[in-house]
Amino acid sequence: VPVTLLDVVPDGAENRDAVAERAVERLVRSSPPALMHPDRAKLIATGNVEDHLDLLAEADWIAEAVVERLAVKQALYRRIDAVRKPGSLVSSNTSTIPLSLLTRDMPAAMVPDFAITHFFNPVRYMRLLELVAGPATRREAVETLAAFCDQALGKGVVRCNDTPGFLANRVGCYALQVAMTEAEALGLTVEEADAVMGRPMGIPKTGVFGLYDLIGLDLMLDVCRSLQAALPADDPFQAVAEGIAVTHRLASEGRTGRKAGAGFYREDAKGERYAVDLASGAYRPAERPRIEAAAGERDGLAALVAWPDKYGRFARRVLARVLSYAASLVPEVADDPDAIDEAMRLGYNWAQGPFEMIDALGADRVLADLAREGLGAPPFLEAAAGRSFYRAAEGRLEDLRADGAYHPVVRRPGVVRLGDVMRTRAPLLDNGAARLWDVGAGVACLEFHTKANALVPESMALLGESLGAVARDFRALLVHNDAPHFSMGVDLTFVLAAAEARDWARLETMLAEFQATCAALRAAPFPVVAAPAGMTLGGGFEVVLHCDAVVAH
């Protein structure tokens, strides 16, 4: 897609386009890569907003991503409207300023063409795009943006109401602040809090304090102040908006996280890792917490909140407050639970959204935990007592809405989600390492589902068995899964165990069966399509190469 990038003119510079040109240079050099391929940089023309604003007359979509100051944005919109072509779409990448304020003094002709398109960083890797339209935004403009961002850019488009923080940051920032304050109150270290509110909870391993370091303490404090100013006084976020004292101390001293080389964690020149003591603000050697960090991953959230110690209480209190808060946002922020769940999966990489977590724990259990901790429950959560937020009905997925009734979860035309199929049907084949599903239209889907989707002999055995089932009953086979990573390759723990036992025959059998299954996949008398996403390594990559076609994300 040809793009023109315009930025400010640097003071006293001979090259008036230097800021935009440096931005493209950073894109090419960035690690991990910001572009799908370095050659894509050739599609970006550069210029500045003083000399080249007339180039906007050629643009179909003008995306504004300037500093988060209302007056600066409004002044720019007036200049844009003077040169843009009629009907061109204009959007802001703001994450903090409501659309109602952005359009307050906007030229009347621009208002119907204006929306908010909030991309999550890093944009290539984070799939969430929050789309906010105003009451005067043209329906065609919204649909065009949604379709283009979905189909051409590969984004997960979530439509949000025009409320502070929209969806993901409203829930995500509250979750971080709650976890931080609860960790301090219960006497947990930063490492302990991150170990609990990480993979056991279905949240990336950065956890709470590690994510603060990744984002930047100064930026997070700015976001929290913005939400604090925008939200009403009785919003639960206000009680945790200030966070804990050590965060402000670290930020004031320039210890703002990874970009500064120090935050809640730091490493010395020898690679030794240190963590901040939450009481003193001083660094001490980081420790690996002695907790069952795998319990949540292995046995689910119910096992996590059942721990009979401070870790279990931390998990219970954090989850009860965060899940309750998410439920309080329906229908103010979003009309249905699925939108909030989608935003947290795509924007914060949670394995499950808040309402999926409630269903995993049971709404009655969450309500009981809230009562035990002396916390109230929002009406929408109370409405789910004795039932669930999602259910399967006549082979389709439905979710509970604020009116107390279940409604179909609607996907975009042509979209089929394996996750929806898994919640509404039983697998055709299942051996614990892989499953075969009927996804409709005469297509079956083979899904690996081990940890990291590493391939074990059972994975390939079910793939081989599936080839026969598809030949009998279906028109085509899809090899796909809903996990963040398609497959990390052959399970090296299996290989290591066989090698340590000097069981070479077992290894040779595994390799021979793997190769035979891939050959059968390639020779199948029906179309086989691989749809991988994320890491697709080693043996997982070999499986993909033996399919007839690849649709990669």
Side-chain angles (χ1 to χ4, degrees):
V1 179
V3 173
T4 300
L5 174 63
L6 305 182
D7 214 313
V8 294
V9 176
D11 292 335
E14 291 185 15
N15 180 1
R16 293 170 63 81
D17 303 337
V19 176
E21 289 175 3
R22 285 199 300 268
V24 176
E25 291 169 3
R26 285 197 301 272
L27 284 177
V28 175
R29 296 196 309 265
S30 65
S31 179
L35 301 175
M36 291 294 287
H37 191 281
D39 283 351
R40 299 297 88 188
K42 296 175 183 176
L43 288 169
I44 307 173
T46 54
N48 67 74
V49 292
E50 301 298 332
D51 305 327
H52 306 118
L53 208 64
D54 58 324
L55 294 177
L56 299 186
E58 305 169 11
D60 301 301
W61 175 16
I62 302 163
E64 168 271 307
V66 304
V67 64
E68 292 285 88
R69 295 177 190 164
L70 181 59
V72 175
K73 291 179 184 290
Q74 289 176 331
L76 181 61
Y77 297 151
R78 288 189 287 273
R79 295 181 62 201
I80 289 172
D81 194 55
V83 297
R84 74 186 183 103
K85 65 184 178 183
S88 61
L89 305 179
V90 183
S91 72
S92 175
N93 187 51
T94 184
S95 61
T96 59
I97 303 176
L99 185 142
S100 58
L101 290 180
L102 294 174
T103 56
R104 179 177 293 171
D105 296 320
M106 181 177 287
M110 185 185 289
V111 174
D113 300 327
F114 185 81
I116 288 174
T117 49
H118 179 217
F119 290 83
F120 270 61
N121 269 319
V123 175
R124 177 183 165 191
Y125 299 93
M126 301 304 294
R127 289 191 56 206
L128 178 61
L129 178 113
E130 293 178 319
L131 178 59
V132 183
T137 307
R138 290 187 294 116
R139 178 179 177 82
E140 182 186 358
V142 178
E143 295 304 325
T144 299
L145 283 170
F148 182 79
C149 291
D150 176 354
Q151 297 169 26
L153 302 186
K155 293 297 171 186
V157 179
V158 175
R159 303 193 190 201
C160 310
N161 295 335
D162 188 22
T163 56
F166 311 133
L167 283 183
N169 281 341
R170 183 80 176 269
V171 176
C173 290
Y174 181 74
L176 290 174
Q177 296 302 101
V178 165
M180 185 177 282
T181 54
E182 290 290 353
E184 183 184 60
L186 294 172
L188 271 67
T189 66
V190 296
E191 305 99 306
E192 289 173 329
D194 285 350
V196 176
M197 194 171 171
R199 285 176 172 166
M201 211 175 276
I203 292 172
K205 64 180 180 181
T206 46
V208 183
F209 297 99
L211 183 55
Y212 244 80
D213 276 359
L214 180 63
I215 296 170
L217 276 66
D218 52 344
L219 179 58
M220 274 303 305
L221 290 173
D222 283 345
V223 171
C224 288
R225 279 191 287 264
S226 176
L227 283 172
Q228 189 177 20
L231 292 171
D234 61 350
D235 190 282
F237 181 83
Q238 302 290 4
V240 295
E242 291 296 328
I244 56 179
V246 70
T247 309
H248 299 269
R249 175 178 170 182
L250 291 171
S252 69
E253 295 172 355
R255 293 187 278 171
T256 54
R258 292 190 188 182
K259 62 186 177 184
F264 286 106
Y265 296 96
R266 74 171 178 86
E267 286 188 4
D268 63 18
K270 298 179 181 179
E272 295 293 327
R273 197 165 189 241
Y274 296 84
V276 157
D277 180 89
L278 293 180
S280 68
Y283 288 108
R284 50 165 179 72
E287 299 177 351
R288 184 181 294 274
R290 293 190 175 185
I291 59 177
E292 279 190 75
E297 293 179 89
R298 185 179 63 246
D299 301 323
L301 290 175
L304 178 63
V305 299
W307 285 346
D309 53 23
K310 64 180 180 180
Y311 304 131
R313 185 163 190 224
F314 173 71
R316 286 192 300 276
R317 284 188 60 85
V318 169
L319 281 172
R321 294 176 68 182
V322 171
L323 301 182
S324 172
Y325 187 66
S328 75
L329 302 179
V330 176
E332 175 207 354
V333 173
D335 298 325
D336 62 292
D338 186 65
I340 296 177
D341 283 349
E342 183 87 332
M344 296 313 296
R345 287 193 303 266
L346 298 180
Y348 277 76
N349 280 339
W350 288 14
Q352 294 179 298
F355 296 96
E356 292 170 319
M357 288 184 178
I358 294 172
D359 282 358
L361 289 167
D364 293 348
R365 179 172 191 159
V366 176
L367 289 165
D369 285 343
L370 286 166
R372 188 179 303 113
E373 299 293 345
L375 302 170
F380 188 49
L381 180 56
E382 292 178 335
R387 46 186 181 165
S388 61
F389 281 105
Y390 294 95
R391 73 176 188 183
E394 299 178 357
R396 69 183 182 188
L397 185 65
E398 296 182 338
D399 62 2
L400 184 66
R401 305 283 175 88
D403 61 4
Y406 286 94
H407 299 262
V409 174
V410 179
R411 305 297 179 201
R412 290 185 63 78
V415 172
V416 176
R417 291 267 185 93
L418 180 59
D420 294 350
V421 172
M422 291 165 60
R423 290 197 277 184
T424 56
R425 303 176 189 173
L428 303 172
L429 300 172
D430 184 357
N431 68 357
R435 293 180 288 209
L436 185 70
W437 301 89
D438 180 352
V439 294
V443 179
C445 179
L446 185 283
E447 170 221 8
F448 301 128
H449 70 102
T450 55
K451 184 175 181 179
N453 290 325
L455 302 177
V456 293
E458 292 80 7
S459 309
M460 303 307 290
L462 196 97
L463 176 53
E465 186 180 353
S466 297
L467 295 176
V470 174
R472 288 192 309 271
D473 303 321
F474 292 88
R475 296 190 302 117
L477 174 65
L478 175 68
V479 185
H480 166 71
N481 56 65
D482 258 357
H485 299 295
F486 178 79
S487 175
M488 295 295 195
V490 169
D491 184 0
L492 296 183
T493 58
F494 168 85
V495 175
L496 182 61
E500 287 178 338
R502 305 183 70 79
D503 191 348
W504 313 122
R506 187 182 182 199
L507 273 179
E508 288 173 0
T509 299
M510 182 270 287
L511 289 170
E513 290 176 348
F514 184 96
Q515 292 173 358
T517 304
C518 285
L521 187 67
R522 184 68 187 89
F526 47 78
V528 181
V529 177
M535 292 190 182
T536 304
L537 309 177
F541 183 57
E542 292 184 58
V543 169
V544 169
L545 288 183
H546 286 79
C547 297
D548 295 307
V550 181
V551 181
H553 196 291

